[in-house]
Amino acid sequence: MTLQRRHFTILALAALGATAFGGAWAQAGYPVKPVTMVVPTAAGGTTDLSARMLAQALGPVLGQTVVVDNKGGGNGNIAAAAVKRAEADGYTLLMQYSGYHVISPHITKQKQWEQGDFQPVANVISAPQIIVVRSDLPVKTLPELITYAKANPGKLNYASSGNGSLQHVTGAMLEQQGAIKMVHVPYKGTGPALQDLLGGQVDLTFGTAPPFMPHIASGKLRVLAVTGKQRLPSLPDVPTTAEAGYPRVDATSWFAVFAPAAVPKALVDKLTADIRAVVQNPAFQQKAQEQGATADYQTPAQLADKVKADLANWATVVKTSKIEAD
């Protein structure tokens, strides 16, 4: 080897060593600046609430501020695409809504992301849907809603957080099981849908309980049923859809953190451990329960299995309901 080539080789190895050492140091010191948690919905819904609950509790554990950045619209595609393009350094995360992660892919014609663009970090919150109507709608139970819909075909309209969202699919499930026809009105998130429900522009909606709880308590909205297998502790007098006679109307949402696929495993391991500490804290669990949800930590592997199973299950529902993209 010539002197010149030997000199080049030494410099290259030194540079490689410095890079590897620098990467290890960066991971060991993570985070050294605020972390951004991108939310695929407008403010006001359960995805947003889950992100803000987690951000508030996770910040002190990480030793850095966790900033919530709402990027609603496009059935979650705007937020997902932004996180997909982000640097794989652990400073940009996605608080994902299950409807966008496992239902939207089945109806989106021009996909802006693939499952392989992300890696699971941790599940944070799980919650069944509830069926909520405006207080002046002349129904007090789910059977009464079905009867009213049959007597007024095509006149009832229901809001969702977007075409292909879990709310939309839940509405389609109820139409199938109740043999009724309603008009679907999609919004860019639960927040805007809730505002129009309160304003009387729409008749009912389906969604996780947290954003609706204050309005149920005040009497502005009426809840008819819970779409899970058990009653909610925060709504003990509200029957499940099975108890109301419609056991096949069963839908539960989950809200989980994902990272760009190339984020180093060491950072994901740290993040999931820190999130576990937050989610398993009794104060966090109590706050989630009060909102009509469940603090439900799941590991990256468990979350990956959930995604795989739900992708298959909802593919069947989307096909039979003939739900298509906008």
Side-chain angles (χ1 to χ4, degrees):
M1 182 181 292
T2 65
L3 181 61
Q4 184 178 10
R5 289 181 61 192
R6 184 180 295 114
H7 181 65
F8 175 81
T9 301
I10 291 172
L11 288 176
L13 289 173
L16 180 61
T19 300
F21 178 80
W25 181 89
Q27 292 182 31
Y30 172 88
V32 296
K33 62 181 182 179
V35 175
T36 297
M37 188 171 295
V38 180
V39 178
T41 65
T46 305
T47 313
D48 177 67
L49 177 62
S50 298
R52 294 182 187 279
M53 281 180 58
L54 179 61
Q56 183 179 23
L58 183 61
V61 177
L62 291 176
Q64 291 287 342
T65 302
V66 179
V67 180
V68 174
D69 182 11
N70 295 86
K71 292 185 182 296
N75 290 341
N77 283 314
I78 294 174
V83 176
K84 168 189 171 181
R85 294 191 301 266
E87 292 291 330
D89 55 8
Y91 288 98
T92 304
L93 305 172
L94 177 67
M95 172 56 81
Q96 183 64 299
Y97 158 53
S98 57
Y100 289 156
H101 207 71
V102 297
I103 297 177
S104 292
H106 296 302
I107 65 169
T108 303
K109 295 180 180 179
Q110 296 182 337
K111 295 183 179 181
Q112 299 180 40
W113 59 275
E114 301 288 345
Q115 296 292 332
D117 293 326
F118 302 99
Q119 58 178 313
V121 176
N123 192 71
V124 178
I125 295 285
S126 294
Q129 305 279 296
I130 58 174
I131 303 174
V132 187
V133 301
R134 53 185 173 84
S135 59
D136 58 344
L137 194 69
V139 300
K140 294 184 178 180
T141 66
L142 182 56
E144 287 181 4
L145 177 69
I146 299 298
T147 299
Y148 184 88
K150 288 181 177 179
N152 299 275
K155 292 185 178 180
L156 277 179
N157 53 53
Y158 72 95
S160 81
S161 62
N163 192 49
S165 65
L166 189 56
Q167 294 163 314
H168 180 192
V169 176
T170 304
M173 290 170 62
L174 183 60
E175 286 182 300
Q176 286 185 340
Q177 299 305 314
I180 60 175
K181 182 62 179 176
M182 300 183 292
V183 177
H184 172 228
V185 184
Y187 289 81
K188 292 183 178 180
T190 300
L194 172 58
Q195 291 306 310
D196 272 10
L197 179 61
L198 289 169
Q201 281 79 28
V202 289
D203 300 311
L204 69 150
T205 193
F206 309 84
T208 48
F212 300 98
M213 293 297 285
H215 309 293
I216 293 170
S218 70
K220 293 180 180 178
L221 298 178
R222 181 181 300 124
V223 57
L224 304 184
V226 176
T227 66
K229 299 185 183 303
Q230 297 179 337
R231 294 191 181 196
L232 287 172
S234 55
L235 295 169
D237 297 328
V238 178
T240 65
T241 46
E243 291 174 321
Y246 298 90
R248 295 182 67 182
V249 181
D250 186 354
T252 297
S253 299
W254 46 262
F255 306 88
V257 177
F258 289 81
V263 169
K265 183 177 183 299
L267 296 189
V268 172
D269 288 345
K270 173 176 173 50
L271 281 166
T272 195
D274 288 345
I275 292 173
R276 177 177 60 214
V278 168
V279 176
Q280 293 182 345
N281 184 286
F284 189 94
Q285 294 178 337
Q286 179 64 28
K287 186 174 182 179
Q289 182 173 309
E290 289 172 354
Q291 297 294 329
T294 301
D296 182 22
Y297 170 78
Q298 293 178 29
T299 67
Q302 290 171 325
L303 180 54
D305 288 343
K306 180 192 289 288
V307 169
K308 183 178 180 180
D310 282 1
L311 275 169
N313 291 338
W314 288 114
T316 301
V317 175
V318 169
K319 183 177 180 180
T320 56
S321 300
K322 297 180 180 180
I323 295 175
E324 298 181 351
D326 292 327

